[in-house]
Amino acid sequence: TAGNIRKYRVTLADMETLPEQFEAWQRYVGLADGTIYRRRRTLARFGAVHDLAIARPVDIESWLGQFKQATTRRQYLGDLRAFYGWALDHDHLTVDPAARVRAPKQPLGKPSPIDPDVLKAAIDAAPEPERTMLILAGFAGLRCVEISRLRLEDVSHKSGTLRVLGKGDRTRDVTMHPLVAAALPAGTGPAVTFRGKPITPRTVSDRLARYLHGQGIDATGHKARHSYGTGLYEACHNLVTVAGQLGHANIATTRGYVAASDEDARAAIA
């Protein structure tokens, strides 16, 4: 109704163009392309069933309720909060309906590392570029997007580190395992290519999953990252160190990547 629109809208801006303005602002502040693309899709999906100008908290809760995974609901709610928070700050709206929606509880992730011997055997048998991608995931803890972004200029054999461009365009230095150092020659250009061309995060994910499943291994590139986190924790028993190497801002996230061993349990009880 007109009354509802007056309640939520304080400018004459066309709400159909507001998501485009929001996207332009995100690019201005330097957010990652992946984040911008995901938020664009979230707004399009939500806007297809609810008017962005007059959406109520109950509308957001009802829409989110259709998704089974709590992590999915949390992510979509985060996208809507970012949009409505921006619209409120820039005087496009007077009410932020997403601010009153309670975030779903985040279930603690269960570590699912690949057995170290199985991982090494898979690496030994892998062709390129799967071999290098699997080494970067399993022995440097890189995400698929980070593997696709890595350049040979980011490799320092002198210091034994990788400069990794992670989520939110944040960088971190990862100490290189000998396998990683051997897989990455000195040079320039993308560290991993396919048919001489750079690869996308989706390509990294799909090729690793296809290769591992073809080897009879029920795993993904992300599970190889869990293997790195578990192996590193077993070596240092320091979650802060593991979080830093994995690029986690929250140690609670890191706990979901680290599988406790039977030896650790026996040592703690003894």
Side-chain angles (χ1 to χ4, degrees):
T1 67
N4 281 336
I5 292 177
R6 284 195 297 271
K7 176 181 177 183
Y8 280 85
R9 190 198 308 239
V10 296
T11 74
L12 297 178
D14 185 352
M15 286 298 296
E16 292 183 358
T17 68
L18 213 55
E20 297 177 8
Q21 297 178 51
F22 177 52
E23 183 168 326
W25 174 81
Q26 291 177 93
R27 295 194 183 281
Y28 167 71
V29 297
L31 294 186
D33 288 342
T35 299
I36 295 172
Y37 175 73
R38 189 194 68 241
R39 288 177 175 175
R40 182 199 308 162
R41 289 193 61 186
T42 300
L43 289 176
R45 294 182 70 175
F46 180 71
V49 293
H50 293 289
D51 189 331
L52 292 172
I54 58 174
R56 302 165 299 167
V58 67
D59 297 325
I60 296 176
E61 292 167 348
S62 175
W63 182 75
L64 292 174
Q66 68 183 301
F67 302 105
K68 294 182 179 180
Q69 298 294 326
T71 52
T72 300
R73 297 196 299 273
R74 285 179 65 92
Q75 186 174 77
Y76 287 163
L77 176 58
D79 293 339
L80 292 174
R81 282 178 171 175
F83 168 72
Y84 280 112
W86 165 84
L88 192 67
D89 289 344
H90 288 75
D91 295 329
H92 295 301
L93 300 176
T94 60
V95 174
D96 177 356
R100 295 170 56 191
V101 176
R102 179 180 297 179
K105 290 184 178 180
Q106 177 67 56
L108 184 62
K110 184 178 180 180
S112 52
I114 304 172
D115 180 88
D117 292 335
V118 172
L119 178 59
K120 290 177 181 177
I123 289 173
D124 289 341
E128 291 293 354
E130 285 80 1
R131 183 177 186 276
T132 298
M133 294 190 298
L134 200 51
I135 288 172
L136 289 171
F139 286 87
L142 269 60
R143 303 176 176 96
C144 290
V145 65
E146 294 168 346
I147 292 172
S148 71
R149 290 175 169 182
L150 187 67
R151 297 183 62 82
L152 293 176
E153 297 95 320
D154 300 324
V155 181
S156 173
H157 288 279
K158 183 177 181 179
S159 65
T161 59
L162 300 176
R163 175 60 56 89
V164 178
L165 181 60
K167 283 186 175 181
D169 288 337
R170 294 187 293 269
T171 60
R172 69 182 187 279
D173 289 335
V174 174
T175 302
M176 283 197 292
H177 184 279
L179 269 178
V180 176
L184 300 174
T188 60
V192 181
T193 60
F194 179 62
R195 294 176 180 173
K197 296 181 179 180
I199 55 177
T200 66
R202 173 61 64 183
T203 299
V204 175
S205 177
D206 289 348
R207 291 187 71 88
L208 281 178
R210 191 180 306 120
Y211 169 71
L212 290 168
H213 292 164
Q215 294 292 308
I217 304 169
D218 183 18
T220 61
H222 197 70
K223 287 188 177 182
R225 181 169 147 85
H226 281 219
S227 300
Y228 173 78
T230 295
L232 183 58
Y233 181 75
E234 289 177 350
C236 69
H237 288 86
N238 188 320
L239 279 175
V240 174
T241 297
V242 179
Q245 293 291 287
L246 287 171
H248 289 157
N250 191 332
I251 288 182
T253 304
T254 309
R255 291 193 181 99
Y257 282 66
V258 174
S261 67
D262 292 337
E263 289 80 4
D264 287 339
R266 283 192 291 267
I269 295 171

